Amino acid sequence: MPTPHEGAPAPSIESQQAGPAGADAVSLREITAETVRRICTLEVAELQRVFVAPNAISIAQAYFEPRAWFRGIYAGEEPVGFAMLEIDLAKHSYYLWRFMIDHRHQGKGYGKRALELVIEHVRTLPEATALELSYHPGPGEPAPFYARLGFEETGRIEEGERVMRLTLSPG
């Protein structure tokens, strides 16, 4: 069985773009044996823990799901977050499974830029017309963050989570 980074398409070149003014560049990088511990130590704020699983759990799940694609989020050389997609090439279905920025790095624009890079990656995948995600509703929920990036509520609820969708315009 291929590992998640082998089983799903990876970007031809790791994306790296300038972050917010004065900030280091934000990039998505493959997680390796040398970097996994640092990624696993990243945590969201205590009040946000109900919204996202710890990175160690996400990485473990990814190794048992061939459709998983995951990356560490970096600001310069500093790991600041984690992103994971479920990529179903047979159905041309793309889903943001996990996304987090460490509590010490929130509010710096890293999450916005990282999600833009994830969206750019999804646009390169076959017949990508949308990216979906779901979230637990509640105080401090991430819906406003996702809405600022163009995601819209679908009205669907799956396993108690609200589903949002970003329609990807062609080319």
Side-chain angles (χ1 to χ4, degrees):
M1 180 165 113
T3 61
H5 53 276
E6 293 170 344
S12 56
I13 299 173
E14 288 295 344
S15 301
Q16 188 165 348
Q17 299 292 328
D24 291 320
V26 172
S27 61
L28 304 176
R29 299 184 191 176
E30 192 169 306
I31 297 170
T32 66
E34 292 78 28
T35 62
V36 68
R37 284 183 186 261
R38 289 187 71 195
I39 297 297
C40 287
T41 64
L42 301 175
E43 296 180 320
V44 294
E46 189 171 336
L47 293 174
Q48 297 169 323
R49 290 184 187 154
V50 298
F51 299 121
V52 65
N55 293 340
I57 298 292
S58 297
I59 293 168
Q61 287 176 314
Y63 273 99
F64 294 98
E65 174 50 68
R67 296 175 297 195
W69 177 92
F70 61 98
R71 295 293 187 266
I73 300 169
Y74 282 75
E77 294 304 312
E78 177 76 16
V80 299
F82 177 82
M84 185 161 76
L85 294 170
E86 180 180 31
I87 297 174
D88 188 336
L89 294 174
K91 295 180 181 178
H92 306 292
S93 173
Y94 308 102
Y95 183 83
L96 182 63
W97 189 356
R98 299 278 161 70
F99 187 80
M100 66 81 68
I101 298 294
D102 184 84
H103 65 96
R104 295 164 290 199
H105 298 287
Q106 292 179 10
K108 299 178 181 179
Y110 300 146
K112 178 181 184 283
R113 184 62 195 136
L115 191 50
E116 289 171 346
L117 292 173
V118 168
I119 293 165
E120 286 175 23
H121 173 63
V122 172
R123 287 181 197 279
T124 70
L125 300 174
E127 297 182 46
T129 59
L131 175 61
E132 290 192 335
L133 60 84
S134 62
Y135 68 92
H136 289 288
E141 68 188 29
F145 167 76
Y146 293 128
R148 286 192 298 274
L149 285 156
F151 285 85
E152 298 177 334
E153 296 282 351
T154 65
R156 293 189 346 249
I157 296 178
E158 296 180 5
E159 298 180 18
E161 296 187 358
R162 293 182 183 164
V163 177
M164 295 182 85
R165 177 185 180 97
L166 175 68
T167 300
L168 303 173
S169 50

